[in-house]
Amino acid sequence: MTTPFRIAVLASGRGSNLAALLAARDRGELPVEFVLVASDKADAGALTLAGAAGVPTLALSPRDYADRASFDHALFERVAGTKPDLLVLAGFMRIIDGAALTPWAGRMINIHPSLLPKYRGLHTHRRALAAGDTEHGASVHFVTAELDGGPVIAQARMPIEPGDDEQRLAERLLALEHRLLPAVVADIAAGRIALRDGRVCLDGQALAAPLNWRNGMLSR
Ligand code: GRF
C-alpha cells in the first residue's frame, strides 16, 4: 500500500472550499489524508467543519504574538509537525511572512477569486464589475512572498452576465472554485502538477499558460 498524500488546510472563514475538498475526498475523487485544518480565527466555520469531519484542528490567535513573524513562525512550526505534503490556503486571510514561506516553496497553494494576474488582493468581484469586464474567474497558484503573485497553476472562467452584482458574481464563482480546487489538489497529489525552477509543470512539461478547468477537467 502506498502512503496517502497528506494535506493541511489553512482557512480564516466559513470554509466552503474546505467542504468541497472533503466532499471530493468522500466521493473518492481526492485520495488524500487531511492531517490538519488550522485557522487564525477560533470561530472560523472551517474549524467546525473540520471537527465534524474528524480532522484535527488548530486555532492560533495573532493577538497572542508580538508580530507577524512570530505568529507565522509558531503557526508553521505546528503545521510542519503534522508533516503535510501540501498546504492548501482556502480563504486564509493573512499576508504570510516571507521567511515562514521559504520552507514551503512549491508545497503551498492558494485559491484566489480572480483571473490572476488581474485583481490581486480584496474585492475582486467588485473590481471586475467596475472595470466592465465580460469575464471573471478563479485561480489556484503556488504561494510566494508576493501577495497573490505566485505562479498560476489553473483557472476556471465564466462570463459576467447582465444583471450580475457583486454578490451574484461571488456566488456563481464560488461554485466554480469548489470544482477547481479539488481538481488541482488531486493532480498535485498524483504527482502530475509540480513547481520546478519556478515554473508550473504538468507531467514534467512546463506550462506556457495556466491550465483551464472546463467540462469537468483540467486541460491545457
Ligand atoms: C474564496 O472566495 C477564496 O477564493 C478566497 O476566500 C474565499 C474563501 O471562502 N481566497 P470559503 O471560506 O472557502 O467559503
Side-chain angles (χ1 to χ4, degrees):
M1 231 183 88
T2 52
T3 326
F5 190 85
R6 299 164 68 84
I7 70 169
V9 178
L10 269 61
S12 302
R14 70 196 149 184
S16 71
N17 277 290
L18 168 67
L21 290 168
L22 289 164
R25 191 263 323 254
D26 293 345
R27 287 195 302 269
E29 295 167 8
L30 186 59
V32 300
E33 183 179 342
F34 290 77
V35 293
L36 182 71
V37 172
S39 185
D40 57 322
K41 301 256 189 299
D43 61 352
L47 292 176
T48 313
L49 281 170
V55 178
T57 60
L58 168 70
L60 288 188
S61 171
R63 281 196 295 270
D64 295 336
Y65 296 84
D67 51 28
R68 181 189 305 286
S70 46
F71 173 77
D72 287 352
H73 181 75
L75 175 66
F76 286 101
E77 196 173 68
R78 300 279 292 274
V79 171
T82 66
K83 303 206 179 313
D85 296 304
L86 180 72
L87 252 61
V88 180
L89 307 188
F92 187 63
M93 303 302 284
R94 288 182 57 83
I95 293 169
I96 301 169
D97 179 70
L101 287 176
T102 310
W104 300 98
R107 295 191 296 141
M108 190 191 297
I109 63 170
N110 178 47
I111 180 151
H112 183 74
S114 81
L115 292 171
L116 289 170
K118 276 187 163 185
Y119 314 131
R120 296 175 183 183
L122 298 174
H123 309 304
T124 57
H125 316 298
R126 193 186 306 170
R127 288 156 70 197
L129 286 168
D133 291 357
T134 54
E135 189 182 45
H136 192 34
S139 306
V140 177
H141 64 93
F142 284 107
V143 175
T144 61
E146 200 181 340
L147 177 70
D148 300 324
V152 179
I153 303 166
Q155 297 180 314
R157 297 167 175 272
M158 62 177 215
I160 295 182
E161 292 170 355
D164 268 339
D165 59 14
E166 194 177 343
Q167 189 188 339
R168 222 181 90 134
L169 207 52
E171 275 166 18
R172 284 174 42 231
L173 186 59
L174 198 59
L176 276 185
E177 293 183 32
H178 295 165
R179 309 295 301 278
L180 175 67
L181 184 59
V184 172
V185 174
D187 274 1
I188 294 175
R192 297 196 61 202
I193 291 174
L195 189 68
R196 304 241 186 284
D197 302 325
R199 303 196 62 185
V200 180
C201 294
L202 175 69
D203 298 330
Q205 266 196 318
L207 293 178
L211 298 168
N212 273 303
W213 190 91
R214 59 171 111 79
N215 303 326
M217 59 187 291
L218 288 173
S219 45
R220 283 177 196 266

